[in-house]
Amino acid sequence: MDLNDSTSLAELMSRYVSTETGFGVPKDGWRICLAHEFKEKRKPFQAKDVSISNMIMHLSLGVRYLRWWYKKTQVEKKAPFIDMFRALPLNQIYGAPLGGIGGGSITRGWRGDFCRWQLNPGMYHYKTVIANQFTVCLRRGGQTVYQQVLSTERPPTLHGWNWGYCGEYAFYHALYPRAWTVYHLPGQNVTLTCRQVSPVVPHDYKDSSLPVAVFVWDIENKNDYALDVSIMFTMVNGSGHEDDKSGGHWNEPFHLEKEGDSVSGVLLHHQTPVNPYTLCIAARDKSDREISHQTAFSPKGTCSALWSDLMTDGRLDSPKDSSTPTQKGEKVAAALAVSCSVPANNHNSVEFSLAWDMPKITFGSRERIYVRRYTRYYGTEGDAAPSLSHYALTHYSKWEESIDEWQRPILQDGSLPSWYKSALFNELYFVVDGGTVWVELPEDADISGGLRPEDGGLPAQPEVVKEYGRFAYLEGQEYRMYNTYDVHFYASFALIMLWPKLALSLQYDIAGSVVQHDPTERLNLMDGQYSPVKTRAVVPHDIGDPDDEPWVRVNAYLIHDTADWKDLNLKFVLQVFRDYHMTQDEQYLKDMWPICQTVMETELKFDKDGDGLIENSGYADQTYDGWKVTGPSAYCGGLWLASLCMMCKMARVLNCESVYQRYRDILERGSAAFDRLLWNGKYYNYDSSGQSLSNSVMSDQCAGHWFLRASGLGDGDYQAFPKEKICSALKSVFDLNVMSFADGQMGAVNGMRPEGVPDRSSVQSDEVWVGVVYGLAATMIHEGLMEEGLRTAEGCYRAVWERMGMAFQTPEAYCEKGVYRSLAYMRPLSIWAMQHALNNRPNHNKTTDEDVGQD
């Protein structure tokens, strides 16, 4: 089932020269030797990559965008939410992010570097802080015999440290939310396994919010003599950002004993005027461990004093006083060491935690102060880091038990290939590292948009939002818009399956914004026309830019007028019923029902000829905004029919017979029109215009049917598309968009001509969208096309994670050669739709690895 018999995976480990497998490292996951170098080097999509015909078509857009970009960056001194001139270059270094959901994130790369920071909400800083390292010291008979920074780097600073660990003796293994790095120490007969654990636990709304991670170091001594081993953790006060030198930062040691357990460490107080925070490195006190620290050292120059301090006796000096605040231009760092004895031919372990406490946040406009979710349990005073560290070090084993219980059935399912298990869990990184914010709902907040239930609106504070807070995540780390709704449509499967209360909370926020109206005239960059920022009875594109004020000023996106985005309203209806189907939350359905009717009435205005099928105009298929549509289309028309189907089902559930009959009539007429206008005998045409490219094969043409199947519908009274036509369309997509593209090894291209060449009529039609591919694969699995579905998705995983070096930054899109677009994107979370489809296979009996051989 695997492409190329896993040769790409073997390539990732080809330079590993040791035979050590590490302590407790699982079989499944993404594995790479620290000495690996990716052969494929891709560049971000740029203007020069646009064809001449498309460049001419979008010339006026380019001029308008340039003017807007100049005003935003040079006049307002803001970061544009999409910066077409400064796209992120591909840096093939990232690993599993640290921390829980919504409290900020820190990414530790697969070579061990702390290299991506998102502490200020939604705003990223890409900087490897070279002094943030783990160092090992081995001692025998009172003498240090080996001391090494566990980094392959040879930096131009800190020359007093021993750098340049040989990466051929180490590998990294990720199965999110955990990761393992195995270091064999050449010539020492010692193997270290660093296990990284974050509190990302499905259905746990307390621990999953905590901004903390744990590092467990398992030490295997395979010598016939005992060793004393020290692991030192060094951390700079800051993130490598320019504010590290702003002055006023200081460190202090701490010791906290509670409930019979104690932890010790160093607090690094980062005293910025906006969003100040405290970093904390800590270790758990045990009778056979010794914890020592260095409160403050300068992370520049040779830094030989700290190195010598550890080498002398495997311990640090442990001064008791706090450091003095830094002067402007000065940086400060701290170190923590844990020492233990490891008997001959035996094993021991030490534990560290890293926590960060930024309880209160403001966004770019600084209009309001929000408090993060974890403050419900740890307060808002900014003094929670010791308690967070104590809790993490005494409870991480319970997190791991929960993670094992969650992952085990899938990992032991022998009918599923290993690449899929890696993709399923590792793509989940974006729930934490997607600029995610999770905040408490203020007591005086009103999310209803001003329309009360008695008038067809919402409660001011729905119970699920009061209890579980507000949740938002970015469209992408480069496309900085919160809760971009057309993309969340795909990604939402991860939330509704794993943290359903967050999915419902997000839906309430969107529903409240539907009734809002902002008449402020705003330039639409696509067509150059002015229109209201927010139109009433229309779902917004997103809820705002983190460099502005999300939740207050919605719809930061400037490419389209919301009134043209017909698919957003449809996607709202589809998600409402899908969420009800998966949660059986009756109050949620009752609350959403009037909003669903409101947006459907808006949609009905686009049924120009009364045939029950809405028409597209211009760029109405918002998801594929570069692909011009005329008349009814397979994508938007299919979503419309699925929405009608769900309105019928919801009306029956809520005993609204007259509403049922109304939408049933529209559905019957619309289905007939859809079939007449778009079905060509093998698949549904892209649109019904009859133009030269209208019969292109769109990979996502069955998206509406996908949501019907995911919601338990699609048959009998709630069928919008004949099964035989859906299967034929999916097989056509597989034959053309998958197998006839890039030798079937890169997933499904968005658009393909019937003669077997990609549709290059737009910037996006010849791209592969990873999240769309996962949704397509889910649709295939729902229809019993298991082999085709897995093969389709596998191409994306192999390309992104094994050939392109895009681990933990899965992009929105890539082309067959050369370029990618928008690193670290929300939509690939749709891989959880595949798992939902797998869970709902008829007569599916899970088998274990022992029953079926693994790949």
Side-chain angles (χ1 to χ4, degrees), residues 54 57-58 616-621 624-631 633 686-687 689 691 693-694 759 761-765:
N54 275 295
M57 184 188 306
H58 295 101
N616 301 78
S617 61
Y619 292 86
D621 260 333
Y624 300 91
D625 53 26
W627 211 351
K628 197 161 186 177
V629 182
T630 305
S633 71
Y686 176 65
D687 67 20
S689 66
Q691 297 176 3
L693 298 175
S694 66
D759 182 332
S761 62
S762 81
V763 169
Q764 297 175 337
S765 57

Side-chain angles (χ1 to χ4, degrees), residues 55 102 112 147 165 206 326 406 455 595 762:
M55 193 173 294
Q147 188 162 299
Y165 172 84
K206 176 179 178 287
T326 58
W406 159 47
D455 299 315
I595 309 296
S762 81

Side-chain angles (χ1 to χ4, degrees), residues 524-644:
N524 299 312
L525 297 185
M526 182 61 76
D527 58 15
Q529 302 297 311
Y530 283 84
S531 66
V533 167
K534 174 65 179 65
T535 306
R536 184 174 286 112
V538 173
V539 172
H541 173 272
D542 60 85
I543 64 162
D545 176 357
D547 205 23
D548 187 16
E549 195 66 23
W551 287 305
V552 177
R553 282 185 288 278
V554 302
N555 195 40
Y557 200 61
L558 300 181
I559 301 297
H560 299 284
D561 175 8
T562 50
D564 283 341
W565 294 338
K566 303 177 184 67
D567 67 324
L568 293 177
N569 282 3
L570 305 178
K571 288 172 176 177
F572 177 80
V573 173
L574 294 174
Q575 288 186 75
V576 164
F577 184 75
R578 188 274 316 270
D579 294 350
Y580 165 72
H581 171 72
M582 295 181 69
T583 64
Q584 294 297 299
D585 188 324
E586 294 184 3
Q587 186 59 52
Y588 166 77
L589 185 62
K590 291 176 182 177
D591 288 343
M592 294 295 163
W593 178 237
I595 309 296
C596 287
Q597 293 183 81
T598 296
V599 299
M600 287 297 283
E601 290 303 311
T602 300
E603 295 297 297
L604 278 167
K605 297 176 183 178
F606 297 101
D607 181 8
K608 303 295 185 182
D609 53 13
D611 65 357
L613 189 62
I614 62 172
E615 296 182 10
N616 301 78
S617 61
Y619 292 86
D621 260 333
Q622 185 274 330
T623 291
Y624 300 91
D625 53 26
W627 211 351
K628 197 161 186 177
V629 182
T630 305
S633 71
Y635 184 76
C636 203
L639 296 178
W640 167 245
L641 295 182
S643 297
L644 291 170

Side-chain angles (χ1 to χ4, degrees), residues 58-91:
H58 295 101
L59 183 61
S60 57
L61 166 63
V63 173
R64 287 189 292 270
Y65 176 83
L66 180 59
R67 290 173 177 168
W68 173 83
W69 181 89
Y70 181 84
K71 179 183 177 183
K72 177 68 68 173
T73 60
Q74 305 304 310
V75 179
E76 299 177 11
K77 304 299 181 182
K78 291 276 191 177
F81 56 83
I82 297 181
D83 195 333
M84 295 182 180
F85 296 109
R86 293 181 293 203
L88 284 179
L90 178 58
N91 208 353

Side-chain angles (χ1 to χ4, degrees), residues 184-244:
H184 178 61
L185 306 184
Q188 304 304 314
N189 218 13
V190 171
T191 299
L192 308 176
T193 302
C194 176
R195 185 168 83 257
Q196 171 184 312
V197 185
S198 290
V200 181
V201 182
H203 307 287
D204 184 330
Y205 297 92
K206 176 179 178 287
D207 288 10
S208 291
S209 72
L210 304 182
V212 66
V214 172
F215 301 96
V216 182
W217 285 85
D218 288 292
I219 307 161
E220 297 176 274
N221 177 14
K222 300 187 179 180
N223 294 293
D224 57 4
Y225 48 82
L227 288 170
D228 292 320
V229 180
S230 299
I231 304 290
M232 180 175 70
F233 187 12
T234 50
M235 197 78 185
V236 171
N237 187 328
S239 63
H241 193 270
E242 59 186 17
D243 64 22
D244 292 1

Side-chain angles (χ1 to χ4, degrees), residues 450-459 515 594-595 598:
L451 193 66
R452 291 289 183 263
E454 56 269 22
D455 299 315
L458 297 172
V515 302
I595 309 296
T598 296

Side-chain angles (χ1 to χ4, degrees), residues 311-323:
M311 181 172 282
T312 299
D313 57 5
R315 295 159 182 80
L316 301 175
D317 284 345
S318 300
K320 296 180 179 179
D321 297 331
S322 301
S323 68

